[in-house]
Amino acid sequence: GLMSAMIYKMDSSGNVKWETLFGFNSGLLASFTRVVAAPDGSLYALSPDRGYTNIAKTNTNGKKIWQKSFPNIADMVWTSKGLLLSDSSHLILVDTSGAIIKNFNFPRKLFSSLQKGSGKSIYASSGYGQVYHLDSNLSISDSAHFNFNGNSNPVNTIAGDSGYYFANNSSM
């Protein structure tokens, strides 16, 4: 059925400046799980569904620009080259119109989370304890393995600018 999700802009006092409703033909309850701001003030919002992901774009005033479906996108981040999407073993670079610029294939990798680093670097994590450092050309320049008590642990989120923090949902 048709489901909807909202994007809100609030001021520093918590007052709603604008809100924009997006409708999705969805089998799940629609919700935005990630919102990314581009340098021009436009917003990109990610709404996962069964087997695909809806991405919506607004301008800085909340006007709907577009909404498109992509296959199973896990996360997204703005880069100097455009919007970078993570899809399993692929990183997909998308321009401001939502068109795919390039699909980077990384066999046997599993990207689940993306985070901007210092400068133009990006960090991508996997469900198998790997964290990859991507250079400005979106190539893997190095990687690290997250190991806790001798076990590989999935890296679900990455945060930080100098010194990175990783979170997982493993049980002890």
Side-chain angles (χ1 to χ4, degrees):
L2 187 63
M3 298 297 205
S4 58
M6 298 282 289
I7 299 175
Y8 297 91
K9 180 177 182 178
M10 299 172 148
D11 62 22
S12 59
S13 300
N15 300 310
V16 175
K17 304 274 285 172
W18 54 257
E19 58 188 53
T20 303
L21 177 70
F22 286 88
F24 301 110
N25 227 349
S26 174
L28 300 173
L29 182 61
S31 64
F32 290 120
T33 58
R34 176 92 151 142
V35 176
V36 172
D40 68 358
S42 58
L43 299 175
Y44 298 85
L46 182 142
S47 178
D49 203 340
R50 293 186 191 130
Y52 64 94
T53 301
N54 296 300
I55 297 180
K57 179 183 178 182
T58 71
N59 68 11
T60 190
N61 298 316
K63 180 183 176 206
K64 292 179 193 178
I65 304 298
W66 52 259
Q67 68 185 57
K68 298 184 179 195
S69 293
F70 293 88
N72 266 341
I73 301 302
D75 201 2
M76 64 183 180
V77 66
W78 186 262
T79 73
S80 61
K81 297 179 182 291
L83 188 66
L84 185 64
L85 312 174
S86 64
D87 167 24
S88 186
S89 62
H90 295 260
L91 294 175
I92 302 165
L93 188 61
V94 175
D95 69 14
T96 57
S97 72
I100 294 174
I101 297 170
K102 186 163 183 182
N103 185 338
F104 299 86
N105 185 10
F106 296 93
R108 295 182 299 279
K109 306 283 189 265
L110 179 63
F111 301 116
S112 58
S113 180
L114 297 171
Q115 173 71 33
K116 278 188 84 149
S118 58
K120 294 182 179 181
S121 62
I122 303 290
Y123 290 89
S125 67
S126 79
Y128 299 109
Q130 286 294 123
V131 177
Y132 303 96
H133 176 240
L134 305 172
D135 62 23
S136 61
N137 295 318
L138 303 177
S139 299
I140 294 175
S141 62
D142 61 6
S143 67
H145 191 78
F146 181 56
N147 192 309
F148 182 73
N149 288 340
N151 298 311
S152 291
N153 289 283
V155 176
N156 300 100
T157 56
I158 308 169
D161 243 349
S162 58
Y164 285 85
Y165 304 91
F166 307 101
N168 74 1
N169 58 359
S170 321
S171 57
M172 301 275 209

